[in-house]
Amino acid sequence: MKLNKIAHIGIAVQSVDIALRTYRDVLGMDYQGTVELTTRGLRIAFLNVGDTLIELLEPLTPTSEISNFLQKRGEGVHHVCFEVDDIVEALSLTEQGGVKLIQREPSLGAEGLPVAFLHPKSCHGVLVEFLEKSGGPTHVQLQADLSGSTP
Ligand code: ZN
């Protein structure tokens, strides 16, 4: 089992615009842009710090995953994401090691790469995400599946 690096850290915020005043304007993080994932009820701002992304996560609907988090715990670190070479292998090794998974099948994350979450109860209270590096086996497979379904 090998983790390459911290890919990103997700921070739950009430408002991306207000949080950018701190993270972009005061701390000087390199702002990459904001996207809205309406299917997940999320607005996400991306900021670069060296090799690591910071994602500011704002809920768009009262039922989104981030709304629930904010209600229970308030603003703060929501999850930590580690890059792996092969997400299917990493999930399998993690499960074999006794860590509970939230999802066994990777899904496509906000950056267009395969992601999957481990259960926070198995990771000492931290929601851990794996992200497969660009060009990894599942990434290549998902791209082939997507292009195959387009006329
Ligand atoms: Zn993430």
Side-chain angles (χ1 to χ4, degrees), residues 3 21 23 44 57 66 71-72 74 91 109 125 128 134 146-148:
L3 306 175
R21 290 185 214 150
Y23 286 98
I44 308 179
L57 310 164
I66 298 301
Q71 276 160 27
K72 275 190 212 143
L91 288 171
V128 171
S134 183
L146 286 175
S147 63

Side-chain angles (χ1 to χ4, degrees), residues 22-97:
T22 304
Y23 286 98
R24 178 190 58 198
D25 301 341
V26 180
L27 297 182
M29 289 183 187
D30 189 10
Y31 177 61
Q32 303 294 306
T34 301
V35 297
E36 288 198 1
L37 301 180
T38 43
T39 49
R40 289 174 61 199
L42 271 183
R43 194 161 172 244
I44 308 179
F46 297 96
L47 302 119
N48 263 340
V49 183
D51 227 10
T52 304
L53 267 182
I54 301 294
E55 295 183 356
L56 303 176
L57 310 164
E58 174 192 323
L60 289 174
T61 66
T63 53
S64 82
E65 49 190 303
I66 298 301
S67 287
N68 294 335
F69 181 90
L70 288 171
Q71 276 160 27
K72 275 190 212 143
R73 301 178 54 174
E75 291 190 312
V77 172
H78 178 262
H79 67 275
V80 179
C81 179
F82 298 100
E83 185 193 88
V84 296
D85 287 338
D86 178 338
I87 196 165
V88 172
E89 181 191 48
L91 288 171
S92 166
L93 289 172
T94 302
E95 194 172 36
Q96 282 168 37

